[in-house]
């Protein structure tokens, strides 16, 4: 029994002695390794640096995928938040670029819409070409390609005989009609009752013709292809002038080829009339100078 106690005590002392020895060994080892502690911490800092650099490199790769570029410099030289700031700035830059693009598109759309608006003129002066002035007119505008102006309800809803009377009141007798073809020797369209040749502001030629003699409504307004943009404006101004004009008396002849019949039509100051008539002698002679034909 006593031996057991002694053994336990011996064992205890051995354990205690062994613990002390272990402590001494660890302490001695720590003393031996103490000079390398700062190196271990430095190694840990290097690992963290590599992790941070990898994060920065990945962020730079993301920037490149988004179309951005990062200056070529060591990632270690960048502050931890610098890549994020670059990414953040790049996102803001892309949003601003989109906003600028939309603003530019809107500006161009406004410019395009304004470009398609009819141009304005400071004033509109009309002059009619007299029958004996057809030569100079054709000499200046003989090579013009004529285009029809947009139709306007203010003109299209009015019977042609009344428009002819209003044109007569606003501009006088037409430049050319069936009678003028005989009197002046000028050949016009065979299907036209009257032709008003007009010049706006001394530079813009305009033609006003009937559609179907005294049987139609409205008139045909045509201008030069080069002045196409002005035609809506000029047609509207013409309608306004005719609206302010007073109808005056006139007499015209019209040959309806589909009816094979000549008509005399006009306005006597009180009423409009259209009735059949024999073929005029001057029409049967067909003495016309074809070089005066203007329509193309």
């Amino acid at each position: 029994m006593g031996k057991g106690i002694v053994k336990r005590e011996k064992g205890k002392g051995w354990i205690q002695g062994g613990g002390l020895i272990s402590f001494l060994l660890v302490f001695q080892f720590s003393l031996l390794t103490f000079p390398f502690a700062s190196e271990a911490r430095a190694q840990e800092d290097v690992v963290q640096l590599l992790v941070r650099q990898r994060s920065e490199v990945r962020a730079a790769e993301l920037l490149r995928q988004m179309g951005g570029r990062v200056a070529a410099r060591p990632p270690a030289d960048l502050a931890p938040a610098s890549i994020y700031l670059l990414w953040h700035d790049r996102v803001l830059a892309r949003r601003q670029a989109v906003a600028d693009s939309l603003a530019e598109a809107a500006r161009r759309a406004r410019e395009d819409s304004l470009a398609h608006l009819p141009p304005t003129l400071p004033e509109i002066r009309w002059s009619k070409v007299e029958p004996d002035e057809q030569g100079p007119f054709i000499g200046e505008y003989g090579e013009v390609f004529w285009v029809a102006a947009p139709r306007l309800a203010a003109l299209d809803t009015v019977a042609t005989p009344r428009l002819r009377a209003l044109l007569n009141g606003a501009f006088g007798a037409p430049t050319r009609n069936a009678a003028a073809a005989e009197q002046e020797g000028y050949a016009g369209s065979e299907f036209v009752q009257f032709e008003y040749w007009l010049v706006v502001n001394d530079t813009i030629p305009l033609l006003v013709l009937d559609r179907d003699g005294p049987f139609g409504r409205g008139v045909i307004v045509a201008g030069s292809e080069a002045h196409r943009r002005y035609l809506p404006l000029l047609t509207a101004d013409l309608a306004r002038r005719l609206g302010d004009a007073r109808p005056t008396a006139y007499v015209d002849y019209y040959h309806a080829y589909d009816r094979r019949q000549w008509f005399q039509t006009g306005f006597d100051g009180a009423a409009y009339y259209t009735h059949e008539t024999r073929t005029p002698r001057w029409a049967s002679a067909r003495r016309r100078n074809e070089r005066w034909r203007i329509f193309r």
Side-chain angles (χ1 to χ4, degrees):
M1 184 175 180
K3 291 180 179 179
I5 294 174
V6 172
K7 288 181 179 179
R8 285 196 297 272
E9 290 176 353
K10 286 182 179 179
K12 182 178 181 181
W14 182 82
I15 293 172
Q16 290 176 350
L20 178 59
I21 292 173
S22 299
F23 172 77
L24 292 175
L25 290 174
V26 171
F27 179 74
Q28 183 179 7
F29 179 77
S30 64
L31 290 177
L32 293 173
T33 58
F34 178 78
F36 303 99
S38 60
E39 182 179 352
R41 285 194 299 271
Q43 182 179 1
E44 182 181 3
D45 292 341
V46 169
V47 172
Q48 292 178 354
L49 176 63
L50 292 175
V51 171
R52 177 167 60 85
Q53 290 180 355
R54 175 56 185 161
S55 298
E56 293 170 349
V57 170
R58 179 55 181 159
E61 292 174 353
L62 292 175
L63 279 176
R64 283 193 294 271
Q65 293 176 4
M66 296 171 60
R69 292 184 179 181
V70 180
R73 54 178 173 168
D77 294 339
L78 298 174
S82 60
I83 292 295
Y84 168 76
L85 293 176
L86 287 174
W87 172 82
H88 182 265
D89 293 344
R90 177 57 181 169
V91 171
L92 292 182
R94 290 189 66 190
R95 292 178 180 174
Q96 186 62 42
V98 172
D100 293 343
S101 178
L102 294 176
E104 177 65 15
R107 184 187 65 80
R108 291 182 179 179
R110 288 194 301 270
E111 290 181 354
D112 291 342
S113 63
L114 292 175
H116 287 85
L117 289 177
T120 58
L121 296 172
E123 62 175 334
I124 300 178
R125 303 185 313 275
W126 296 80
S127 62
K128 186 199 70 176
V129 178
E130 298 295 338
D132 58 356
E133 296 174 344
Q134 293 183 62
F137 182 90
I138 292 178
E140 185 169 359
Y141 303 111
E143 295 301 317
V144 163
F145 286 90
W146 302 96
V147 294
R151 301 183 68 169
L152 196 64
L155 296 177
D156 286 344
T157 57
V158 181
T160 302
R162 175 169 174 79
L163 288 176
R164 169 67 174 87
L166 294 174
L167 286 165
N168 204 71
F171 301 106
T175 305
R176 178 184 291 177
N177 58 14
E182 166 62 17
Q183 296 167 6
E184 307 293 341
Y186 301 135
S189 171
E190 296 177 343
F191 301 95
V192 175
Q193 171 189 334
F194 60 87
E195 306 175 21
Y196 279 87
W197 297 6
L198 306 170
V199 179
V200 177
N201 292 0
D202 302 323
T203 56
I204 305 175
L206 212 68
L207 305 178
V208 180
L209 320 171
D210 63 278
R211 293 186 180 277
D212 186 23
F215 306 107
R217 288 184 176 274
V219 289
I220 298 174
V221 179
S224 65
E225 191 176 42
H227 299 98
R228 183 192 298 268
R229 292 181 58 208
Y230 291 97
L231 295 182
L233 176 67
L234 299 180
T235 303
D237 189 75
L238 176 63
R240 181 186 63 80
R241 290 175 182 269
L242 295 184
D244 295 338
R246 183 178 64 86
T248 58
Y250 70 91
V251 176
D252 278 340
Y253 288 88
Y254 177 67
H255 187 193
Y257 277 81
D258 56 341
R259 297 177 172 91
R260 297 183 179 180
Q261 181 63 52
W262 277 88
F263 294 87
Q264 187 183 66
T265 180
F267 176 61
D268 60 11
Y272 297 93
Y273 63 89
T274 299
H275 57 76
E276 297 181 359
T277 184
R278 293 183 179 183
T279 302
R281 293 181 179 180
W282 48 260
S284 60
R286 296 185 178 275
R287 289 181 287 106
R288 297 181 179 181
N289 189 339
E290 295 294 328
R291 70 187 182 91
W292 294 112
R293 188 178 299 276
I294 191 174
F295 305 108
R296 305 177 56 179

